[in-house]
Amino acid sequence: MTDADKDYPGHAHARAILDNVRDAIITIDGDGTITHFNRAAETMFERKAADTIGANVSELMPEPYRSEHTRYIGAYRDSGVPKAIGRIRDVHGQRAGGEVFPMELSVAEVISGPNPIYTAIIRDVTALRHATEVVRERERLAELGAIAAKLVHDIGNPLSGLTMRVEHMRRLADTPDGLPPEKLRASLDHVRNAAASMNALIRGFMDFARGQRLQRSKVDIAALLSVIVDLWAPVAAQSNASIVLDTGQGLLFVHADAEQLQRVFHNLIRNGVEAVAGGCGKTVRVSAELSDGRVAVSVCDDGPGVPANVDVFHLFETTKPGGTGIGLAVAKQIVSAHGGTISHRPRAGGGAEFRVELACGDEIEGPRA
Ligand SMILES: Nc1ncnc2c1ncn2[C@@H]1O[C@H](COP(=O)(O)OP(=O)(O)OP(=O)(O)O)[C@@H](O)[C@H]1O
Ligand SMILES: [Mg+2]
């Protein structure tokens, strides 16, 4: 029992509880200075309470949050708009040895006013994430086995057709008159198109089979979407349609693999553009917003809508003559690897809406000034 505990017997009881819970419990003041660091926090962050109390809480975070955190606390104090407070957040911490780990964070404001005190309860979810990844990997391998047979079938058929056509051309080449140029051209076009579609199938399959090893960084969703929209806008314009981008005023960040996310939104926006092509619709609307602490991106079109009975996220499921049916299967795989969700529903008034939700990447930072 410390001297303070003798003065306030309730303290000893509270301290015993704090030091025996499995979650890390850290108390900070309004400047972010750590005032209490329980035993579980010592284990989790590999730091002694005696060396940590008095330090700034940003020391427990990886970059870029570490450098920015103090500014965010100040912004919160000034604006009073909580972001990290009152919710469970998926964020990252950093141990003294440098290891960055995933954690669930919930912050409560214990005392408000000019000298506020916050309590953060932190759960290390490294083991949980690892277990989830192992299960996902096993499921993926099982699925790969089943679809390999389908791939052989889907490539085997056009390949034997292709071989027969080339043999036919070869035979005709040996006849006195050979092949008339227009027939030769048509046959070569056929060969080229069949080869291109098989190539697309194989590439898409490789995307799927590769699995998703994520290289996460802080990604500005609005900037990422704007690059993709610019790329597809001219294609939409060819069908007299347009793509509208609405990402609101605030900055939306996710902690994600930018390249992989780009592929997700490429697929969704391309599907939207394909849905409105040929006069089937007028507009593809891409929007991003903060929804319940998550970043929600919606890609909405006024095309014909998803046909009934089409399991859009299933590998090789396609209703398009030149489609591979891989786009959304890969998109789902990438979004799941990020711990996010992807879904679709009919758009009111006709068309389809696809929605991706990802954990917000700047939750630990608090609001922007
Ligand atoms: N915006 C949309 N409107 C209507 N149907 C859609 C839309 N997006 C997807 N679909 C349906 O889902 C199917 C699967 O989409 P997915 O992107 O996985 O494959 P694909 O577009 O057919 O081919 P690819 O692999 O080349 O993208 C499509 O063939 C289509 O039937
Ligand atoms: Mg597609």
Side-chain angles (χ1 to χ4, degrees), residues 229 242-246 283-287:
V229 165
S242 57
I243 310 183
V244 179
L245 177 64
D246 175 10
T283 315
V284 177
R285 191 182 169 77
V286 181
S287 55

Side-chain angles (χ1 to χ4, degrees), residues 239-259:
S239 296
N240 289 326
S242 57
I243 310 183
V244 179
L245 177 64
D246 175 10
T247 48
Q249 297 301 311
L251 287 164
L252 300 170
F253 289 103
V254 288
H255 188 65
D257 187 316
E259 205 176 301

